[in-house]
Amino acid sequence: MRIEPPSPLGRRRIAEPVPAADDRLPERADVAIVGAGLIGLSVAWRLAAAGLAVAVIERGRAGDGASLAATGMLAAAAEHEPGGEALLPLCLESQRLWHPFRDDLEAASGLSIDYRREGTLVVALGRDEVERLRFRHDLQRRDGLAVEWLSGPAIRAREPGLRPTVTAGLFCADDHQVDPARVMAALRLALRAAGGRLIEGCAVEALEREGGRVVGLRTGAGAVRAATTIIASGAWAGEGGLLPDLALPVRPLKGQSMALAVTPRSGGIDHVVWTEQVHMAPKGDGTLIVGATVEETGFDPDLTAGGLFALLEGARRALPGIEEMRIAGIWSGYRPTSDDDAPILGEAAPGLVLAAGHHRNGYLLAPVTAAAIAGLLVDGALPPVAAPFGLARFRSGETA
């Protein structure tokens, strides 16, 4: 759900290409993908570029789940938490892959995705937050992450607009960011340039099976026969209608976010800034994204006074200049969250592959997910870094 006042600085969509004549449901494909979010389109583009006939089927519009609601942070270090040690190698590998992924995507689409490399600051306000931040820093150093401890004055030298009550912080130099709207627009163009099809407004009703194997899918507009079907439907992957026998452990985790228009009077920030309450990300269109609440409310799209107050108050504690900024957009979205907050990748049944459950790391993990699924379909196996993240870990009681 989005509420956007008319403004050139709102969180608008980047102009999308006119649908191509061949964006119709094909009768056959090498690969049929359910879901045209970031993950589905990234996988589809890489597979189409490898020479496979790919069709992506989306019940709404591409990106309307989590992908266009996200902030676009690539935060392997800032996101690292206790219990995340098994996921960290996958995050770091994807962070490494982001540079060639960006270069290839911009070349294939002809669009800039506003990749920004200023880095991320994780800041503490007050003594209690400093102690918790030291604990986080100890964890990051123990796990080999390149994170620098900064004093309050050193942080404010980098970001003069922050309050004097910002007393310490971490600088995560390798945690960069992209603009989600630009990435999604680029993926649409790159997929079509590679010969892939994107069919929007087409709900998948069932998977087609023969002799225990998934052989395609059925929609209200007809059926598609495919050698491989991929479920990449984000928070909806666990609904059970398509996969009643798998009980996929994926649920929606709602987040509310907003965009503020930076002005010369208000000033802004150059880095992504995290506090204990919010994160703030400056974008090339002159907006500052403030996100995001964490709410276990299912598929509830409502924007709430409490959620928006929490965002504004959390940002104001660190950056007083937001009081002078105009609200350019507010929205909600659904993180696709698995039971252990890690993605579910790989074959779930003959002919059926999963690329789901990326939680709040979808943008970070898009390159490694696309590479892993391409490796599975083209080379016959997931790369070792992705192998631990199959569905079997939930059946066996093991978690990533």
Side-chain angles (χ1 to χ4, degrees):
M1 175 178 177
R2 292 168 181 269
I3 301 175
E4 297 182 353
S7 163
L9 293 179
R11 290 306 294 165
R12 61 202 183 281
R13 294 174 179 271
I14 302 298
E16 295 172 349
V18 175
D22 64 353
D23 278 355
R24 295 167 297 181
L25 194 71
E27 294 182 0
R28 293 180 176 272
D30 295 323
V31 183
I33 299 178
V34 183
L38 169 72
I39 298 301
L41 290 186
S42 295
V43 170
W45 167 48
R46 287 305 204 191
L47 292 175
L52 298 179
V54 179
V56 186
I57 298 94
E58 166 61 46
R59 66 180 179 179
R61 296 193 67 187
D64 275 350
S67 303
L68 287 170
T71 306
M73 296 179 297
L74 315 177
E79 290 271 18
H80 186 47
E81 298 175 342
E85 291 80 5
L87 182 59
L88 185 58
L90 190 73
C91 292
L92 292 176
E93 174 63 8
S94 202
Q95 202 169 55
R96 184 188 70 80
L97 290 174
W98 247 106
H99 295 148
F101 187 87
R102 173 204 61 198
D103 293 345
D104 291 350
L105 182 57
E106 291 185 339
S109 66
L111 296 180
S112 166
I113 61 171
D114 193 23
Y115 186 101
R116 300 185 61 166
R117 57 176 69 246
E118 290 89 349
T120 296
L121 292 169
V122 184
V123 303
L125 296 96
R127 180 178 300 176
D128 290 345
E129 290 191 12
V130 170
E131 291 305 310
R132 289 191 289 270
L133 195 63
R134 286 195 182 279
F135 174 81
R136 175 180 287 198
H137 188 222
D138 289 343
L139 173 69
Q140 291 166 331
R141 287 190 303 174
R142 193 162 58 245
D143 290 335
L145 294 168
V147 177
E148 179 184 0
W149 180 271
L150 297 177
S151 67
I155 292 171
R156 292 191 296 277
R158 293 173 185 251
E159 292 292 357
L162 296 179
R163 287 189 188 273
T165 49
V166 173
T167 52
L170 306 175
F171 177 51
C172 308
D174 296 329
D175 284 4
H176 301 160
Q177 62 159 320
V178 294
D179 186 313
R182 293 181 179 274
V183 172
M184 292 300 293
L187 283 169
R188 293 175 70 112
L189 286 170
L191 174 63
R192 287 183 174 133
R197 296 190 185 191
L198 170 60
I199 302 97
E200 298 177 279
C202 184
V204 176
E205 298 175 346
L207 300 181
E208 297 280 294
R209 301 173 188 261
E210 290 181 3
R213 182 179 182 86
V214 175
V215 295
L217 49 81
R218 186 173 69 252
T219 78
V224 181
R225 192 172 183 87
T228 303
T229 300
I230 300 175
I231 302 298
S233 47
W236 288 265
E239 281 196 292
L242 294 183
L243 306 170
D245 53 331
L246 291 183
L248 199 61
V250 176
R251 70 189 190 281
L253 192 60
K254 178 182 170 182
Q256 299 180 56
S257 299
M258 65 173 55
L260 303 175
V262 176
T263 69
R265 180 175 176 178
S266 70
I269 53 177
D270 294 321
H271 303 76
V272 175
V273 174
W274 287 50
T275 74
E276 285 195 353
Q277 291 77 37
V278 298
H279 56 256
M280 298 176 282
K283 298 299 181 182
D285 64 0
T287 54
L288 179 70
I289 307 304
V290 181
T293 62
V294 179
E295 305 172 52
E296 291 274 11
T297 57
F299 289 102
D300 171 15
D302 287 344
L303 298 160
T304 65
L308 299 178
F309 176 81
L311 294 175
L312 288 169
E313 181 61 20
R316 181 178 173 273
R317 287 187 68 223
L319 186 67
I322 71 159
E323 295 180 9
E324 304 293 334
M325 299 179 189
R326 177 177 52 79
I327 295 177
I330 53 179
W331 61 88
S332 64
Y334 310 111
R335 304 172 185 89
T337 301
S338 74
D339 283 357
D340 63 0
D341 297 343
I344 306 172
L345 308 175
E347 188 174 48
L352 180 66
V353 169
L354 303 176
H358 288 73
H359 189 40
R360 60 191 183 199
N361 288 312
Y363 275 87
L364 172 61
L365 294 176
V368 78
T369 298
I373 302 302
L376 177 63
L377 269 62
V378 176
D379 301 324
L382 287 172
V385 73
F389 297 96
L391 182 61
R393 72 183 189 266
F394 299 102
R395 296 169 178 162
S396 66
E398 299 176 2
T399 55

